[in-house]
Amino acid sequence: IVVFTSDHGEMHGSHGYLHKQKPYREALNVPVIYRLPESQAEGIHKGVPFTPMDHLPTLCKLAGIKLPTKKDGIDLSEVIRSDSVDFSRPVLIGNYVSNYNTFSTRKPFLEWRGVYTGQFTYIKWIDGEEELYENHVDPYQLNNLIGSHSHKGIAKEMRLKLQELLNEADDEFLPGTAYASWFDELRYPKMEVILGE
């Protein structure tokens, strides 16, 4: 099994930003290519929301390894193996720290969380501001629909879905500085926090 991927995209000037950690398509789109030993098909593209956490359960299943009892992510091995299996789900997206390159961009950038469904991207900033984009209609995410009367129902649905995903992830949507307490002076994780003790 060969997997080719990356950890983030880059803005390259879109929306006036240069780097990663942004809630827009350019930074969120990450290449994921799986090559299986038994696969005969080539170049099959699937628009399935795939998160970094999905690699563990997916690779375990593909390799025939028993999954850990406590895990994050979803096993997408059947989606990868099959030409016909399609799968859609809303996924939690977010940036947990303030922008590290504020001085180079001269733009403040706050923590954010959001929901990506493929069709829509909903973003909520820690200061309460919101954005909503219909990705297929507006691929460069230039038209914020959050105040649109025609998308009022979608915005409400996305707010509820975001809260549901935050609850599932035990994410309190805190400022980035709140997470500093998870690490010691050498930036090693404090084990009692990791283990939930």
Side-chain angles (χ1 to χ4, degrees):
I1 300 169
V2 177
V3 180
F4 174 86
T5 188
S6 179
D7 59 342
H8 59 81
E10 295 284 346
M11 293 304 291
H12 291 299
S14 295
H15 293 267
Y17 295 107
L18 298 175
H19 303 294
K20 58 184 181 177
Q21 296 178 313
K22 311 301 185 276
Y24 307 112
R25 198 171 198 162
E26 294 85 354
L28 293 178
N29 276 355
V30 174
V32 178
I33 300 171
Y34 270 70
R35 173 65 166 91
L36 307 180
E38 72 275 11
S39 177
Q40 299 299 316
E42 293 181 10
I44 296 172
H45 179 269
K46 303 200 175 199
V48 175
F50 197 104
T51 74
M53 293 181 292
D54 299 327
H55 284 295
L56 174 66
T58 301
L59 284 168
C60 283
K61 185 68 179 237
L62 290 172
I65 298 170
K66 185 179 176 188
L67 281 171
T69 53
K70 217 174 174 185
K71 60 151 182 74
D72 290 319
I74 292 177
D75 168 20
L76 295 172
S77 61
E78 289 307 311
V79 176
I80 292 168
R81 277 191 168 126
S82 171
D83 294 347
S84 58
V85 174
D86 199 8
F87 181 78
S88 182
R89 64 172 170 150
V91 294
L92 178 66
I93 56 176
N95 183 39
Y96 294 79
V97 295
S98 297
N99 186 23
Y100 70 93
N101 66 341
T102 297
F103 295 110
S104 65
T105 62
R106 304 213 186 287
K107 293 182 178 188
F109 205 84
L110 302 173
E111 299 87 339
W112 56 271
R113 304 292 190 276
V115 178
Y116 175 81
T117 66
Q119 183 178 3
F120 291 99
T121 300
Y122 168 73
I123 305 153
K124 182 168 184 178
W125 299 87
I126 201 161
D127 66 0
E129 292 290 318
E130 297 172 290
E131 297 178 43
L132 177 67
Y133 299 100
E134 190 165 359
N135 300 319
H136 300 299
V137 175
D138 181 19
Y140 296 107
Q141 300 173 317
L142 300 174
N143 185 23
N144 184 1
L145 299 170
I146 201 65
S148 164
H149 182 71
S150 61
H151 287 77
K152 197 174 183 178
I154 295 291
K156 182 178 180 182
E157 185 182 317
M158 290 292 180
R159 287 181 190 110
L160 292 171
K161 181 51 73 176
L162 175 60
Q163 193 54 58
E164 180 185 319
L165 291 170
L166 288 171
N167 291 343
E168 285 176 16
D170 292 321
D171 184 348
E172 298 176 52
F173 197 176
L174 301 172
T177 52
Y179 301 103
S181 65
W182 291 11
F183 298 90
D184 67 16
E185 64 279 357
L186 297 175
R187 292 186 54 89
Y188 291 111
K190 294 181 181 175
M191 293 310 290
E192 64 271 16
V193 174
I194 300 273
L195 299 173
E197 293 176 355

